[in-house]
Amino acid sequence: MCRARLLFHFLALSLLPFARPDEHTHIYEDNDEVVLWMSTVGPYHNRQETYSYYSLPFCMGTKDVINHYHETFSEALQGIELKFSGLEIEFKADIAKMDYCQIKLTEESEKAFIYAVKNQYWYKMYMDDLPIWGVVGEPEENNGVVSYYIWTHKKFDIGYNGKQIVDVNLTSENKVKLVQDAAISFSYEVNWKKSNVKFEDRFDKYLDPNFFQHRIHWFSIFNSFMMVIFLVGLVSMILMRTLRKDYARYSRDEEMDDMERDLGDEYGWKQVHGDVFRPASHAMLFSALIGAGYQVTVVVLSVIIFAILGEPYTERGSMLSIAIFVYAATSPINGYAGGGLYARMGGRIWIKQMILSAFMLPLIVCGTAFFINFIAMYYHASRAIPFGSMETVTCICIFVILPLTLVGTILGRNLAGTPDAPCRVNAVPRPIPEKKWFMEPLVIIMLGGILPFGSIFIEMYFIFTSFWAYKIYYVYGFMLLVFVILMIVTVCVTIVCTYFLLNAEDYRWQWTSFLSAASTAGYVYIYSFYYFFFKTKMYGLFQTAFYFGYMALFSLALGIMCGTVGYVGTNAFVRKIYSTVKID
Ligand SMILES: *[C@@H]1O[C@H](CO)[C@@H](O)[C@H](O)[C@H]1NC(C)=O
């Protein structure tokens, strides 16, 4: 059932996140074996659409035994499969140009290659953890006739510093035209050169400081920071006004200045004290969302901090491993927050709530991935659904996430499950009065996301570009700053929104606060349309589905996170202001 090996990897990962069985020392003696791993191949315009290198009819070298293999769980999940190239490479031993294999182009393999060349396929290889990219081939036009060529010679220039590999350059040479029944030989050549690059700096050449200009980041952060100051000021003013109990009652009519008029009727919110702590509608879904939101927030924060401390781009797939590990490990938080909230709202069907909480996100993520894989299979027969990975994910859900969520839920219901609202809830719900259109929850929800989105959209551009194009994201310090700013802005905006809503004597603030914060993600999703049409060159049903599917997942996670943070902040605010209300 469960693929024991993958599960084992997962467990090993949880015990020793940084240990790797091989290539981990990066120290080579003269003539030690150096392994060239063939990884993936895929269109240049979508970095995330990748297939196994040997899904194209390339051939392998002659060497068939190597001393070590490796595969980590997250690589398997991402569809990165490392296959040994069969090329003989030894440390500091030059190899002159040499044929290593030959293929005969059948009709089918010719078609596959032409498809790849037409779509600007690139392939990726790894040597000593350094990624190497190469082009499959290129089209050439001659008198209006397009013919397709494939590169057959790989020239490796490998730089070494002492006993370590610090630089690899690949040059593709020797174009051969793709015609049916041609015999194509592939050759390679290795030149070792002394290099002065330090081992610690060997990844620097993959980073692009011109693209990730610090100036832009600082500018964006400065902008958002101004917004934060303004919003925090606004919220403290609201708090001061509401907590300054009776003063305004006496001086109300005479001294109501413009600002007060704008902020609405002072006493509107007090009228709904008997309803404001009425449980949210759809309490089960609501508490499941809040539980999941706590979990996602912790995962995002941990991953960013991990990325600042380590340099994740030097390790294949380590970010995803950490994210999955932290996600599984923080399931009790989900259970505790969701279960506790559900119990406080008087929910009784807690097992159903817990299952919803535990499986909602994994199911949506897997469902989307499955759907996209399905389209992929339809378009390219080569891509198979990674069933092994699916099994592993299922196993993790059932044997790790579910029990941990159960523990969290039980703790949450017992420790944090007693209703503790500062005001009693009236037996009969108060009718919600008519109000102006811009006080309707739907309008508030839609407006709520604008400012939080404004504080992150510049960073979003960099994040999108590093995800979809060939840029490596490395300015995680900025990401952390932006994350913190986003949280503050979200909380402030949600509090202001809720204050307006309550002043309009509408007590349905739980969903409104959650959704008005979550609508940030709606704007991010809209922004992703702009990004798709103006910044990427993806096309076709498959790439479109791929892009929008994964962007929807990203936005959903962001929405749940912002929504939860907004709700939690607002909840504190609402409790604070109503704790001062004296009920006559
Ligand atoms: C690889 O290419 C870069 C840029 O062209 C060059 O500076 C470097 O010396 C090359 N490395 C090797 C080992 O040839």
Side-chain angles (χ1 to χ4, degrees), residues 157-160 167-170 191-195 205:
D157 292 308
I158 309 177
Y160 63 91
D167 188 15
V168 184
N169 287 350
L170 170 74
N191 302 314
W192 291 86
K193 288 179 189 156
K194 215 169 161 39
S195 166
K205 77 168 187 179

Side-chain angles (χ1 to χ4, degrees), residues 383-433:
R383 180 158 173 143
I385 295 174
F387 271 114
S389 318
M390 286 276 177
E391 275 169 22
T392 316
V393 169
T394 317
C395 289
I396 293 174
C397 282
I398 294 176
F399 296 117
V400 182
I401 294 183
L402 188 61
L404 288 180
T405 315
L406 177 67
V407 171
T409 307
I410 290 173
L411 284 179
R413 288 186 70 82
N414 288 310
L415 302 180
T418 355
D420 51 355
C423 303
R424 232 179 317 118
V425 176
N426 291 345
V428 185
R430 193 171 185 278
I432 296 165

Side-chain angles (χ1 to χ4, degrees), residues 284 288 342 348-359:
M284 185 184 291
Y342 188 60
R348 302 203 178 282
I349 330 168
W350 66 276
I351 293 187
K352 212 169 146 192
Q353 186 273 335
M354 179 195 74
I355 291 175
L356 183 66
S357 230
F359 291 155

Side-chain angles (χ1 to χ4, degrees), residues 513-534:
S513 64
F514 180 86
L515 291 176
S516 63
S519 67
T520 310
Y523 289 102
V524 169
Y525 198 55
I526 294 173
Y527 178 66
S528 79
F529 278 74
Y530 163 80
Y531 187 86
F532 180 81
F533 289 111
F534 295 100

Side-chain angles (χ1 to χ4, degrees), residues 216-434:
I216 301 177
H217 288 274
W218 283 122
F219 174 73
S220 129
I221 283 172
F222 178 74
N223 253 351
S224 315
F225 195 68
M226 292 317 235
M227 192 144 77
V228 166
I229 290 179
F230 167 73
L231 285 170
V232 169
L234 191 62
V235 168
S236 7
M237 210 172 67
I238 290 179
L239 263 179
M240 259 155 56
R241 280 166 48 85
T242 49
L243 297 181
R244 197 182 46 177
K245 287 170 235 164
D246 291 321
Y247 166 70
R249 180 174 295 172
Y250 302 116
S251 56
R252 195 168 156 216
D253 294 327
E254 304 93 78
E255 286 175 30
M256 195 156 90
D257 54 27
D258 287 348
M259 194 59 177
E260 285 185 60
R261 225 172 265 124
D262 287 345
L263 281 176
D265 182 3
E266 171 86 8
Y267 288 97
W269 61 271
K270 283 188 182 167
Q271 310 290 345
V272 289
H273 65 78
D275 291 283
V276 79
F277 294 107
R278 194 177 292 289
S281 57
H282 305 97
M284 185 184 291
L285 179 63
F286 188 71
S287 47
L289 282 171
I290 298 294
Y294 268 99
Q295 196 179 1
V296 172
T297 312
V298 174
V299 172
V300 171
L301 197 59
S302 322
V303 169
I304 296 179
I305 288 173
F306 161 77
I308 292 174
L309 298 180
E311 285 181 338
Y313 50 84
T314 60
E315 294 256 349
R316 275 183 304 274
S318 58
M319 287 278 266
L320 193 65
S321 306
I322 294 289
I324 294 176
F325 172 66
V326 177
Y327 186 83
T330 52
S331 302
I333 298 182
N334 179 344
Y336 187 90
L341 179 64
Y342 188 60
R344 284 199 298 281
M345 295 201 289
R348 302 203 178 282
I349 330 168
W350 66 276
I351 293 187
K352 212 169 146 192
Q353 186 273 335
M354 179 195 74
I355 291 175
L356 183 66
S357 230
F359 291 155
M360 182 174 53
L361 272 188
L363 262 186
I364 295 176
V365 172
C366 291
T368 313
F370 193 80
F371 176 69
I372 291 168
N373 265 318
F374 190 73
I375 300 183
M377 283 216 302
Y378 181 75
Y379 270 77
H380 312 262
S382 59
R383 180 158 173 143
I385 295 174
F387 271 114
S389 318
M390 286 276 177
E391 275 169 22
T392 316
V393 169
T394 317
C395 289
I396 293 174
C397 282
I398 294 176
F399 296 117
V400 182
I401 294 183
L402 188 61
L404 288 180
T405 315
L406 177 67
V407 171
T409 307
I410 290 173
L411 284 179
R413 288 186 70 82
N414 288 310
L415 302 180
T418 355
D420 51 355
C423 303
R424 232 179 317 118
V425 176
N426 291 345
V428 185
R430 193 171 185 278
I432 296 165
E434 286 276 316

